[in-house]
Amino acid sequence: MSEEPSNSQVYDVPALLEAQRGHFDSGRTRNLENRIQVLKNLGTAIEQQSDALIEALSADMGKPPVESYLSEIFFLLSEIRLVTKRLRRWSRPRRVRNPFYFFPSRSEVRREPYGTTLIISAWNYPLQLSLAPAVSAIAAGNVVMLKPSESAPHTARLIAKIISSVFDKEHFAVIEGGPEIGRALLNEKFDCWFYTGSERIGRLYAEAAAKAIAPITLELGGKCPCVISPDVNLDIAVQRIVSGKFLNAGQTCIAPDFVVLPETLQESFIEKATAALQSAYPECPSPDLAKIVSQEHYERLSNLIPDGAIRIGKDHPELRYLTPTLIPDVSWDSPAMQEEIFGPVLPVLTYQSLDELLLHLRKLPSPLALYAFSKDSTFLEAIANAIPSGSVCFNDVLKQATNLNLPFGGVGASGMGRYRGQAGFENFTYERAVTRRGFSRDLFAVTPPYENRLEQLKKFLK
């Protein structure tokens, strides 16, 4: 895929938004069977374009085909299958009890779509992070305007092609472009907002949503700690940490950002991790390690690597290939600990006591994920209680975020709101309280003149 996609298309965003609002107001997006069918059609279109998507992801990110299929295509198809299978159940009104003095009556909670939905996607998983929230929004009965990341232009162009083959633009439109499109979208009033990316840009969308008095979901990432206890099975821990950290060249918002372990284990950890990386990436550049998304990110990561780092091979700047890197003997105030790594670089810190470790963890902003390895459940729970996080995984990494039956999202600095599976359907709907009464005689009516009714009511309502 050598031809560079063009993002020169001009969009009349206000007119498109107005058309989408009219489509939503028509009620056509609320038909349950239509929602299920159109999502099945989307799944079919993604399957048919799977080879082209793998090629696009390789052109944008240098992703190995196995990683592209498992983390983007298969993951997305799995969510579509889950949603279409269970959407009828999720959509049923939930009956609730009434106070006896409402008799006769019926009350229920309905889940209703918000309406016009804006989704701003990130570049690191450009297919999954674009269409997973969109699947939830469509399942909920909304109309969607999606802006994929301009940093993955080949994938963005193919997403636009797939969506236009399945949906009318009034139902689901893809807007390609860079920051200028993002700024234009900030000026519109959507009924629901969804943003994945950096905290800095996320604040802009949060402010825009606040001005529109609309809900927003923010998926922001952060430095995800990975803590190892003295009693750990180090061979298994290293294997799992290395596998999760270097997936997509570390450009994963829930990847372990750094490892902190007892001082007595550091030498053994470095030795085993080095061997695991040499085994996983014997070639240099390796076809199994994605490239860094841009020259800016490549240079930022390079500047974080000190002279004493352990490099598995050589860098290839012309390919934006940054070789897997371990940084031993890192301190809590080192440059690598001041920002999210988001690359194939793993700092290793040490601690001497649990109290010391917990003190440092409590000072960190709340991450999207928290990892801890230990055979001791007391240790694991102490780590989980030390710092709020969007998710926790004990004795492995990433697994909590690949289970579609679990909600996904951050807290504090790592974001707010939840999606995936049922949580996604609920995220793009609101609870609407509905009570229905008939016209039979009201046995418990309280109407003026009240006279001495207050004392009677106090006794009756005890």
Side-chain angles (χ1 to χ4, degrees):
M1 184 173 290
S2 58
E3 182 181 351
E4 286 296 320
S6 171
N7 286 333
S8 60
Q9 187 172 353
V10 177
Y11 300 97
D12 188 343
V13 173
L16 177 56
L17 180 58
E18 188 62 27
Q20 288 198 324
R21 195 177 303 281
H23 187 72
F24 177 76
D25 290 343
S26 74
R28 281 176 283 179
T29 65
R30 295 170 179 258
N31 183 285
L32 180 59
E33 297 307 319
N34 287 349
R35 280 182 271 160
I36 293 172
Q37 187 57 56
V38 77
L39 288 174
K40 288 181 177 179
N41 294 344
L42 176 59
T44 299
I46 291 170
E47 286 185 295
Q48 292 173 343
Q49 294 287 342
S50 60
D51 290 343
L53 284 165
I54 288 172
E55 188 179 354
L57 290 163
S58 176
D60 287 330
M61 300 285 299
K63 285 196 180 192
V66 169
E67 290 188 10
S68 291
Y69 183 77
L70 290 178
S71 67
E72 303 251 23
I73 298 169
F74 172 76
F75 190 91
L76 193 56
L77 291 174
S78 297
E79 181 150 26
I80 291 173
R81 284 192 286 268
L82 175 69
V83 171
T84 54
K85 180 180 179 180
R86 298 185 181 175
L87 186 56
R88 292 182 184 87
R89 185 193 314 168
W90 298 341
S91 299
R92 291 173 191 154
R94 174 169 56 87
R95 288 282 301 274
V96 298
R97 298 181 64 180
N98 291 305
F100 71 90
Y101 43 82
F102 280 17
F103 179 84
S105 64
R106 173 191 175 109
S107 291
E108 63 187 23
V109 178
R110 300 176 184 174
R111 300 215 69 97
E112 301 279 357
Y114 285 105
T116 56
T117 300
L118 175 65
I119 296 173
I120 306 294
S121 180
W123 52 261
N124 54 324
Y125 291 87
L127 177 67
Q128 181 210 129
L129 296 179
S130 291
L131 295 188
V135 165
S136 295
I138 294 296
N142 298 284
V143 294
V144 173
M145 196 177 297
L146 164 68
K147 181 194 173 300
S149 173
E150 68 275 14
S151 296
H154 296 89
T155 307
R157 177 54 50 87
L158 193 49
I159 288 172
K161 178 181 176 181
I162 291 171
I163 295 307
S164 65
S165 72
V166 177
F167 296 87
D168 295 329
K169 65 180 180 180
E170 291 81 11
H171 191 183
F172 187 171
V174 178
I175 305 294
E176 298 176 77
E180 73 288 347
I181 290 292
R183 287 190 290 270
L185 293 170
L186 284 170
N187 294 323
E188 302 301 327
K189 289 188 176 182
F190 293 88
D191 300 314
C192 185
W193 302 62
F194 190 103
Y195 172 83
T196 304
S198 70
E199 180 180 348
R200 180 179 66 85
I201 303 299
R203 289 180 182 274
L204 300 179
Y205 282 96
E207 290 172 3
K211 290 179 182 177
I213 317 180
I216 185 169
T217 303
L218 296 174
E219 301 294 345
L220 305 178
K223 292 185 74 66
C224 300
C226 183
V227 180
I228 295 177
S229 77
D231 68 348
V232 75
N233 183 323
L234 197 57
D235 288 321
I236 292 178
V238 166
Q239 179 187 24
R240 294 175 180 176
I241 292 168
V242 166
S243 177
K245 169 63 180 182
F246 294 90
L247 175 73
N248 199 31
Q251 297 168 117
T252 303
C253 56
I254 54 168
D257 189 89
F258 62 92
V259 167
V260 54
L261 75 177
E263 192 172 17
T264 55
L265 290 183
Q266 178 178 218
E267 183 177 348
S268 182
F269 178 89
I270 294 294
E271 178 184 330
K272 293 177 184 295
T274 301
L277 287 168
Q278 289 172 338
S279 176
Y281 307 107
E283 301 177 54
C284 185
S286 171
D288 296 322
L289 187 71
K291 66 184 180 182
I292 305 305
V293 68
S294 68
Q295 190 63 31
E296 177 187 359
H297 284 279
Y298 183 91
E299 292 174 1
R300 179 186 65 84
L301 289 166
S302 297
N303 291 333
L304 293 177
I305 301 173
D307 292 338
I310 298 170
R311 316 299 307 282
I312 311 301
K314 296 182 179 180
D315 296 335
H316 291 263
E318 73 281 3
L319 301 175
R320 298 200 306 275
Y321 178 89
L322 193 70
T323 196
T325 300
L326 302 172
I327 310 179
D329 299 313
V330 173
S331 64
W332 291 95
D333 58 358
S334 72
M337 292 300 293
Q338 305 312 307
E339 59 181 302
E340 184 178 6
I341 299 291
F342 222 66
V345 179
L346 182 62
V348 180
L349 297 83
T350 63
Y351 66 91
Q352 293 184 339
S353 69
L354 179 59
D355 288 342
E356 174 203 348
L357 171 63
L358 297 179
L359 181 64
H360 284 295
L361 290 177
R362 291 186 181 113
K363 294 178 181 179
L364 297 175
S366 302
L368 192 55
L370 172 64
Y371 302 107
F373 286 77
S374 179
K375 298 176 183 177
D376 183 356
S377 60
T378 301
F379 178 92
L380 294 174
E381 292 301 331
I383 299 302
N385 291 332
I387 177 174
S389 64
S391 63
V392 179
C393 187
F394 295 144
N395 298 325
D396 209 336
V397 299
L398 309 189
K399 295 297 187 293
Q400 83 288 357
T402 57
N403 181 354
L404 293 171
N405 296 303
L406 289 174
F408 180 86
V411 62
S414 58
M416 57 186 178
R418 298 289 181 270
Y419 74 116
R420 303 277 167 81
Q422 184 173 356
F425 170 77
E426 293 176 353
N427 186 70
F428 287 99
T429 56
Y430 65 92
E431 290 187 325
R432 191 179 193 183
V434 178
T435 294
R436 176 180 296 175
R437 303 199 68 203
F439 293 98
S440 57
R441 183 187 173 202
D442 195 338
L443 301 176
F444 301 99
V446 179
T447 57
Y450 298 122
E451 298 178 342
N452 62 345
R453 299 288 294 280
L454 179 57
E455 294 303 318
Q456 296 175 0
L457 285 170
K458 285 182 178 180
K459 294 178 181 179
F460 182 73
L461 295 174
K462 276 187 176 181

Short mmCIF file of all heavy atoms in Angstrom, two decimals, residues 122-156:
data_model
loop_
_atom_site.label_atom_id
_atom_site.label_comp_id
_atom_site.label_asym_id
_atom_site.label_seq_id
_atom_site.Cartn_x
_atom_site.Cartn_y
_atom_site.Cartn_z
N ALA A 122 -8.14 7.35 18.59
CA ALA A 122 -6.69 7.43 18.72
C ALA A 122 -6.00 6.61 17.64
O ALA A 122 -6.62 5.80 16.96
CB ALA A 122 -6.26 6.95 20.10
N TRP A 123 -4.69 6.81 17.52
CA TRP A 123 -3.93 6.19 16.42
C TRP A 123 -3.34 4.84 16.77
O TRP A 123 -2.97 4.07 15.88
CB TRP A 123 -2.80 7.11 15.98
CG TRP A 123 -1.92 7.60 17.10
CD1 TRP A 123 -1.99 8.81 17.72
CD2 TRP A 123 -0.84 6.90 17.73
NE1 TRP A 123 -1.03 8.91 18.70
CE2 TRP A 123 -0.32 7.75 18.73
CE3 TRP A 123 -0.27 5.64 17.57
CZ2 TRP A 123 0.75 7.38 19.56
CZ3 TRP A 123 0.79 5.25 18.38
CH2 TRP A 123 1.29 6.13 19.37
N ASN A 124 -3.20 4.50 18.06
CA ASN A 124 -2.42 3.30 18.40
C ASN A 124 -3.14 1.99 18.04
O ASN A 124 -2.52 1.00 17.68
CB ASN A 124 -2.01 3.32 19.87
CG ASN A 124 -3.18 3.49 20.81
OD1 ASN A 124 -4.13 4.21 20.52
ND2 ASN A 124 -3.13 2.84 21.96
N TYR A 125 -4.47 1.99 18.16
CA TYR A 125 -5.29 0.88 17.64
C TYR A 125 -6.39 1.53 16.80
O TYR A 125 -7.54 1.63 17.22
CB TYR A 125 -5.88 0.05 18.79
CG TYR A 125 -4.83 -0.74 19.54
CD1 TYR A 125 -4.12 -0.19 20.60
CD2 TYR A 125 -4.52 -2.05 19.14
CE1 TYR A 125 -3.15 -0.90 21.27
CE2 TYR A 125 -3.54 -2.78 19.81
CZ TYR A 125 -2.86 -2.20 20.88
OH TYR A 125 -1.88 -2.91 21.54
N PRO A 126 -6.03 2.00 15.61
CA PRO A 126 -6.91 2.92 14.88
C PRO A 126 -8.23 2.30 14.42
O PRO A 126 -9.21 3.02 14.28
CB PRO A 126 -6.05 3.35 13.68
CG PRO A 126 -5.03 2.27 13.53
CD PRO A 126 -4.75 1.78 14.91
N LEU A 127 -8.27 1.00 14.21
CA LEU A 127 -9.52 0.35 13.82
C LEU A 127 -10.38 0.08 15.05
O LEU A 127 -11.54 0.50 15.13
CB LEU A 127 -9.24 -0.96 13.08
CG LEU A 127 -10.48 -1.78 12.70
CD1 LEU A 127 -11.32 -1.05 11.66
CD2 LEU A 127 -10.07 -3.17 12.21
N GLN A 128 -9.80 -0.60 16.02
CA GLN A 128 -10.56 -0.99 17.22
C GLN A 128 -11.09 0.23 17.98
O GLN A 128 -12.26 0.28 18.37
CB GLN A 128 -9.67 -1.83 18.14
CG GLN A 128 -10.36 -2.30 19.41
CD GLN A 128 -9.40 -2.46 20.57
OE1 GLN A 128 -9.63 -1.95 21.65
NE2 GLN A 128 -8.31 -3.18 20.35
N LEU A 129 -10.22 1.23 18.18
CA LEU A 129 -10.61 2.38 18.99
C LEU A 129 -11.54 3.33 18.25
O LEU A 129 -12.15 4.21 18.87
CB LEU A 129 -9.37 3.13 19.49
CG LEU A 129 -8.48 2.33 20.45
CD1 LEU A 129 -7.27 3.16 20.87
CD2 LEU A 129 -9.25 1.85 21.67
N SER A 130 -11.67 3.15 16.93
CA SER A 130 -12.66 3.91 16.17
C SER A 130 -14.02 3.23 16.22
O SER A 130 -15.04 3.86 16.50
CB SER A 130 -12.22 4.06 14.71
OG SER A 130 -11.12 4.90 14.59
N LEU A 131 -14.03 1.93 15.96
CA LEU A 131 -15.31 1.26 15.73
C LEU A 131 -15.90 0.58 16.96
O LEU A 131 -17.11 0.36 17.01
CB LEU A 131 -15.16 0.24 14.60
CG LEU A 131 -14.85 0.85 13.22
CD1 LEU A 131 -14.92 -0.22 12.14
CD2 LEU A 131 -15.80 2.00 12.90
N ALA A 132 -15.09 0.26 17.98
CA ALA A 132 -15.67 -0.35 19.19
C ALA A 132 -16.66 0.59 19.87
O ALA A 132 -17.79 0.19 20.17
CB ALA A 132 -14.57 -0.79 20.15
N PRO A 133 -16.30 1.85 20.14
CA PRO A 133 -17.31 2.75 20.72
C PRO A 133 -18.46 3.02 19.76
O PRO A 133 -19.60 3.21 20.19
CB PRO A 133 -16.53 4.03 21.05
CG PRO A 133 -15.29 3.95 20.25
CD PRO A 133 -14.98 2.51 20.07
N ALA A 134 -18.18 3.04 18.46
CA ALA A 134 -19.24 3.28 17.47
C ALA A 134 -20.25 2.13 17.47
O ALA A 134 -21.46 2.36 17.32
CB ALA A 134 -18.64 3.46 16.08
N VAL A 135 -19.77 0.91 17.63
CA VAL A 135 -20.68 -0.24 17.71
C VAL A 135 -21.64 -0.07 18.88
O VAL A 135 -22.85 -0.29 18.76
CB VAL A 135 -19.87 -1.55 17.85
CG1 VAL A 135 -20.77 -2.71 18.30
CG2 VAL A 135 -19.20 -1.91 16.53
N SER A 136 -21.11 0.35 20.03
CA SER A 136 -21.97 0.57 21.20
C SER A 136 -22.96 1.70 20.96
O SER A 136 -24.13 1.60 21.34
CB SER A 136 -21.11 0.90 22.43
OG SER A 136 -20.30 -0.19 22.79
N ALA A 137 -22.49 2.78 20.34
CA ALA A 137 -23.37 3.92 20.10
C ALA A 137 -24.49 3.58 19.13
O ALA A 137 -25.64 3.97 19.33
CB ALA A 137 -22.54 5.10 19.56
N ILE A 138 -24.18 2.83 18.06
CA ILE A 138 -25.21 2.41 17.11
C ILE A 138 -26.16 1.42 17.76
O ILE A 138 -27.39 1.51 17.58
CB ILE A 138 -24.55 1.78 15.87
CG1 ILE A 138 -23.75 2.84 15.09
CG2 ILE A 138 -25.59 1.14 14.97
CD1 ILE A 138 -24.57 3.96 14.50
N ALA A 139 -25.62 0.49 18.54
CA ALA A 139 -26.47 -0.47 19.24
C ALA A 139 -27.45 0.22 20.17
O ALA A 139 -28.58 -0.23 20.37
CB ALA A 139 -25.61 -1.45 20.04
N ALA A 140 -27.03 1.34 20.74
CA ALA A 140 -27.88 2.09 21.66
C ALA A 140 -28.95 2.91 20.95
O ALA A 140 -29.88 3.40 21.60
CB ALA A 140 -27.02 3.02 22.51
N GLY A 141 -28.84 3.07 19.62
CA GLY A 141 -29.84 3.81 18.87
C GLY A 141 -29.47 5.22 18.51
O GLY A 141 -30.33 6.01 18.12
N ASN A 142 -28.19 5.56 18.63
CA ASN A 142 -27.73 6.92 18.32
C ASN A 142 -27.34 7.04 16.84
O ASN A 142 -27.22 6.05 16.12
CB ASN A 142 -26.50 7.26 19.17
CG ASN A 142 -26.81 7.24 20.65
OD1 ASN A 142 -27.43 8.16 21.18
ND2 ASN A 142 -26.38 6.19 21.33
N VAL A 143 -27.11 8.26 16.42
CA VAL A 143 -26.40 8.53 15.18
C VAL A 143 -24.97 8.91 15.56
O VAL A 143 -24.73 9.42 16.65
CB VAL A 143 -27.07 9.65 14.35
CG1 VAL A 143 -28.43 9.21 13.87
CG2 VAL A 143 -27.18 10.95 15.16
N VAL A 144 -24.02 8.66 14.65
CA VAL A 144 -22.61 8.79 15.00
C VAL A 144 -21.85 9.61 13.97
O VAL A 144 -22.03 9.44 12.76
CB VAL A 144 -21.96 7.39 15.11
CG1 VAL A 144 -20.45 7.51 15.32
CG2 VAL A 144 -22.58 6.60 16.25
N MET A 145 -20.99 10.49 14.47
CA MET A 145 -19.98 11.16 13.64
C MET A 145 -18.63 10.76 14.22
O MET A 145 -18.35 11.01 15.39
CB MET A 145 -20.16 12.67 13.66
CG MET A 145 -19.40 13.38 12.55
SD MET A 145 -19.67 15.20 12.52
CE MET A 145 -21.43 15.27 12.18
N LEU A 146 -17.81 10.11 13.40
CA LEU A 146 -16.53 9.58 13.85
C LEU A 146 -15.39 10.30 13.16
O LEU A 146 -15.37 10.43 11.94
CB LEU A 146 -16.44 8.08 13.52
CG LEU A 146 -15.05 7.43 13.56
CD1 LEU A 146 -14.51 7.39 14.99
CD2 LEU A 146 -15.09 6.03 12.96
N LYS A 147 -14.40 10.75 13.96
CA LYS A 147 -13.16 11.27 13.41
C LYS A 147 -12.03 10.31 13.77
O LYS A 147 -11.57 10.29 14.92
CB LYS A 147 -12.83 12.65 13.94
CG LYS A 147 -11.54 13.21 13.33
CD LYS A 147 -11.03 14.42 14.07
CE LYS A 147 -9.67 14.84 13.54
NZ LYS A 147 -8.62 13.79 13.68
N PRO A 148 -11.56 9.49 12.82
CA PRO A 148 -10.40 8.64 13.09
C PRO A 148 -9.14 9.49 13.18
O PRO A 148 -9.12 10.64 12.75
CB PRO A 148 -10.35 7.70 11.87
CG PRO A 148 -11.58 7.96 11.08
CD PRO A 148 -12.05 9.33 11.45
N SER A 149 -8.09 8.91 13.71
CA SER A 149 -6.83 9.66 13.84
C SER A 149 -6.18 9.89 12.49
O SER A 149 -6.05 8.96 11.68
CB SER A 149 -5.87 8.90 14.76
OG SER A 149 -4.61 9.53 14.76
N GLU A 150 -5.73 11.11 12.28
CA GLU A 150 -5.00 11.44 11.05
C GLU A 150 -3.61 10.81 11.04
O GLU A 150 -2.94 10.77 9.99
CB GLU A 150 -4.88 12.95 10.89
CG GLU A 150 -3.99 13.66 11.90
CD GLU A 150 -4.71 14.01 13.19
OE1 GLU A 150 -5.81 13.49 13.43
OE2 GLU A 150 -4.16 14.83 13.96
N SER A 151 -3.15 10.30 12.20
CA SER A 151 -1.83 9.67 12.26
C SER A 151 -1.84 8.25 11.69
O SER A 151 -0.78 7.65 11.54
CB SER A 151 -1.34 9.63 13.71
OG SER A 151 -1.14 10.94 14.20
N ALA A 152 -3.02 7.72 11.40
CA ALA A 152 -3.14 6.41 10.75
C ALA A 152 -4.03 6.58 9.51
O ALA A 152 -5.15 6.08 9.45
CB ALA A 152 -3.74 5.39 11.72
N PRO A 153 -3.54 7.30 8.49
CA PRO A 153 -4.40 7.71 7.38
C PRO A 153 -4.89 6.57 6.51
O PRO A 153 -6.01 6.63 5.99
CB PRO A 153 -3.50 8.67 6.58
CG PRO A 153 -2.10 8.27 6.93
CD PRO A 153 -2.16 7.83 8.35
N HIS A 154 -4.08 5.53 6.31
CA HIS A 154 -4.53 4.41 5.48
C HIS A 154 -5.71 3.69 6.14
O HIS A 154 -6.70 3.34 5.48
CB HIS A 154 -3.39 3.42 5.24
CG HIS A 154 -2.25 3.99 4.46
ND1 HIS A 154 -1.19 4.64 5.06
CD2 HIS A 154 -2.01 4.02 3.12
CE1 HIS A 154 -0.33 5.03 4.13
NE2 HIS A 154 -0.81 4.67 2.94
N THR A 155 -5.61 3.49 7.44
CA THR A 155 -6.70 2.83 8.16
C THR A 155 -7.93 3.72 8.21
O THR A 155 -9.06 3.25 8.05
CB THR A 155 -6.25 2.48 9.59
OG1 THR A 155 -5.02 1.74 9.53
CG2 THR A 155 -7.30 1.64 10.29
N ALA A 156 -7.73 5.02 8.40
CA ALA A 156 -8.86 5.95 8.43
C ALA A 156 -9.63 5.93 7.11
O ALA A 156 -10.87 5.92 7.09
CB ALA A 156 -8.38 7.36 8.74
#
